[in-house]
Amino acid sequence: MNFKTIFKSLKNHDMLRRILIVLGLLIVYRFLAHIPVPLGEPTTFQEAVQNLIANSDFGGFLNLISGGGLTSFSILLVGISPYITAQIVVQLVTKAIPRFEELSEDGETGRRKINQWTRILTIPLAIVQSIAYIFILYQSVIASNTALTYTPTTADWLLSVTAMVAGSVMLMWFGELMTEQGIGNGISLIIFTSIISQLPSTVANLGTALFDTSAGSLSLFGWFNLPVNPTIFWVVLGFAVAIVILIYFLIKLNEAQRVITINYAKRVHGNSAYGGIKSILPLKLIAAGVVPVIFATAFLSLPALLGQFIQTVNPDGTFGNTLMTLFTAPSASNFLSMYPNGITAQWFFYPTLYFVLVVLFTYFYTSIIFNTKEIADNLQKQGAFIEGIRPGIQTAEYLGKTINRLNLFGALALGLIAMLPFLTDYIFIILTGTPIGLSLSGTGLLIVVTVALENLRQLNSRALMVTYDEYK
């Protein structure tokens, strides 16, 4: 990454305009995240949302990628999840139905149609999710015996759902506007900003605990005392070192790739010869990125959310409680209540299933985005081949075997990163008897690192374009 080139490109007015547009849209997004849903008593519903997040991993994950939109009960409560879901559905349909697959290969015209269908599908998904969130929150408020001095009317429900859908569509629009600037993926930037926006409150809480010297201060070799809590100081220092090491390995994993040499056949037309050159085909170690982790989190957390809803409607039933028990991730907040007798076999159910699903979804999503047959056909049409491999079917089989071997290590590495909070808790239970919760999990850190590297790469490419004349 050439940061000198990036700084030089800021002298270009077009480059500066693109960066300012992206930054402006992100600032507007953060302001919108604090506008409450117009539904009677926002404070009461905020308390219901906080209780929902405390008892649901899926709610906590959605709050993470929505930049706190859930906890503030803002019009961005639904966030960009409908758009992401629509993209996944359209991708699956495109690969499953030959007619849509042909359309996706029809150049820019086909891609525009598919993008338009994705936008259209986003709206009904946003409506369904908005209605579901409002209904669950309202039932949670009623079940908690909270006195409501205001009873929402049908018009109030319609207004609230409309505001939430409008917020989701606006985020989709912001994401596409940022992508058009050519310096990064807009949706990824929104998720990146959402996660980063949670860090100031975490740092503030750590700072308050660090400088609380009511239990004593840190003695430095007996020479003088630092005005910090000694226990919190060593914990913070240990986590800081661990995060730096983890970021290093995440960067290495994200950048790791297998390079395959591509040869182009030499062709003679008249007195001129074409081809006879070599190129490369890079295969990333983790081609699926963080999508498998998101899929696995949603898959495992929805049963817990459903169990909470069933328990709210029917408190005397056991089915809802069973779902919540099996599909709630063990953490520092619920360990003592869920496992009063210490670690049992049930403690390993959620982490084991989570790890298996991450591995399976890595293979599944990679097979969708990396079509070996299509790549082999394109290479054959261009007169390209892999040395020692016949063009066509054998090339596709070779690429399939190579990507599967990469997936084996990549999926295991991705699963271990996602399991980091559970492994940390397990170590602390053995050492101290109680777990310790991580505010920024391996999943969140992986998203931040991946998005930062990808957007820096695109920014660097744009900077090279605008400063190209200086290097001639």
Side-chain angles (χ1 to χ4, degrees):
M1 200 67 62
N2 194 339
F3 289 98
K4 185 178 179 181
T5 302
I6 294 176
F7 286 125
K8 275 187 177 181
S9 68
L10 297 179
K11 298 177 182 179
N12 184 278
H13 293 292
D14 180 67
M15 184 70 172
L16 189 61
R17 180 183 63 84
R18 291 173 184 271
I19 294 176
L20 291 177
I21 288 175
V22 172
L23 292 177
L25 290 173
L26 291 176
I27 292 173
V28 173
Y29 155 61
R30 291 309 305 154
F31 274 112
L32 291 176
H34 293 85
I35 299 177
V37 175
L39 188 63
E41 301 175 358
T43 305
T44 303
F45 283 96
Q46 284 179 14
E47 295 175 357
V49 171
Q50 292 170 1
N51 293 331
L52 183 67
I53 292 172
N55 298 319
S56 170
D57 304 311
F58 187 58
F61 184 76
L62 287 179
N63 184 61
L64 179 69
I65 65 173
S66 66
L70 278 176
T71 52
S72 59
F73 193 59
S74 76
I75 59 174
L76 302 183
L77 189 149
V78 176
I80 58 173
S81 58
Y83 185 59
I84 295 175
T85 305
Q87 284 184 322
I88 294 171
V89 170
V90 170
Q91 284 180 358
L92 292 174
V93 170
T94 300
K95 296 298 180 182
I97 302 176
R99 181 180 176 184
F100 289 99
E101 189 173 4
E102 292 176 2
L103 184 63
S104 66
E105 298 172 355
D106 193 21
E108 186 64 26
T109 304
R111 284 193 292 271
R112 285 182 180 177
K113 288 183 179 179
I114 291 176
N115 290 338
Q116 186 64 21
W117 292 341
T118 304
R119 299 186 194 104
I120 294 173
L121 182 59
T122 299
I123 296 176
L125 288 174
I127 293 173
V128 171
Q129 290 191 26
S130 300
I131 294 174
Y133 285 173
I134 289 291
F135 180 76
I136 292 175
L137 292 176
Y138 188 68
Q139 292 296 326
S140 300
V141 172
I142 294 176
S144 63
N145 297 320
T146 302
L148 283 173
T149 58
Y150 174 83
T151 302
T153 63
T154 303
D156 293 326
W157 292 117
L158 289 174
L159 178 62
S160 302
V161 171
T162 302
M164 292 166 65
V165 172
S168 181
V169 173
M170 193 175 297
L171 274 188
M172 176 185 68
W173 181 47
F174 283 3
E176 293 190 347
L177 285 179
M178 285 186 279
T179 302
E180 289 176 0
Q181 304 310 311
I183 57 175
N185 183 278
I187 301 300
S188 298
L189 281 172
I190 289 175
I191 296 176
F192 175 86
T193 307
S194 301
I195 297 175
I196 292 298
S197 68
Q198 306 297 299
L199 292 181
S201 60
T202 302
V203 173
N205 292 335
L206 282 176
T208 302
L210 181 63
F211 292 102
D212 182 9
T213 57
S214 58
S217 57
L218 177 65
S219 176
L220 192 63
F221 303 111
W223 299 339
F224 58 91
N225 293 334
L226 291 177
V228 295
N229 186 300
T231 304
I232 301 298
F233 174 81
W234 293 116
V235 170
V236 170
L237 182 61
F239 273 114
V241 173
I243 287 176
V244 170
I245 295 174
L246 182 60
I247 290 176
Y248 173 79
F249 281 105
L250 286 177
I251 293 174
K252 289 295 183 182
L253 284 173
N254 187 70
E255 296 297 299
Q257 60 185 17
R258 165 76 182 277
V259 176
I260 296 178
T261 303
I262 304 295
N263 298 279
Y264 287 87
K266 191 173 183 180
R267 300 176 181 179
V268 178
H269 294 279
N271 295 326
S272 302
Y274 302 92
I277 61 175
K278 291 185 178 182
S279 182
I280 61 170
L281 176 64
L283 303 180
K284 294 197 67 174
L285 178 65
I286 307 179
V290 295
V291 173
V293 179
I294 297 174
F295 279 11
T297 302
F299 187 87
L300 282 177
S301 302
L302 282 175
L305 189 64
L306 178 63
Q308 184 177 3
F309 174 71
I310 295 174
Q311 193 70 12
T312 302
V313 177
N314 184 19
D316 298 328
T318 59
F319 180 67
N321 187 50
T322 303
L323 285 177
M324 291 176 61
T325 303
L326 290 177
F327 291 95
T328 297
S331 64
S333 60
N334 62 25
F335 181 77
L336 294 178
S337 60
M338 291 181 63
Y339 311 101
N341 300 321
I343 295 178
T344 61
Q346 181 188 327
W347 194 90
F348 296 95
F349 175 80
Y350 186 98
T352 303
L353 191 56
Y354 188 31
F355 180 81
V356 171
L357 285 176
V358 169
V359 173
L360 292 178
F361 278 127
T362 300
Y363 277 92
F364 170 73
Y365 193 72
T366 303
S367 66
I368 292 177
I369 64 174
F370 191 85
N371 191 328
T372 56
K373 185 178 181 303
E374 181 181 348
I375 294 175
D377 291 341
N378 290 335
L379 290 176
Q380 189 173 17
K381 291 176 183 177
Q382 296 170 7
F385 61 93
I386 301 172
E387 188 173 353
I389 308 296
R390 291 178 63 87
I393 297 177
Q394 288 192 11
T395 299
E397 291 177 352
Y398 173 79
L399 292 175
K401 290 179 181 179
T402 304
I403 198 68
N404 283 335
R405 287 197 296 268
L406 290 174
N407 268 339
L408 178 61
F409 183 81
L412 293 177
L414 197 60
L416 288 175
I417 292 170
M419 291 279 290
L420 184 64
F422 305 115
L423 297 175
T424 306
D425 283 345
Y426 185 74
I427 293 172
F428 271 86
I429 289 170
I430 294 175
L431 296 177
T432 65
T434 56
I436 182 171
L438 292 176
S439 59
L440 182 60
S441 65
T443 304
L445 201 57
L446 180 61
I447 293 173
V448 169
V449 171
T450 303
V451 173
L453 289 175
E454 183 61 32
N455 284 280
L456 276 175
R457 192 177 292 110
Q458 292 192 34
L459 183 63
N460 187 61
S461 299
R462 172 66 63 173
L464 284 172
M465 290 174 59
V466 301
T467 59
Y468 177 74
D469 292 337
E470 298 180 15
Y471 292 95
K472 282 186 176 181

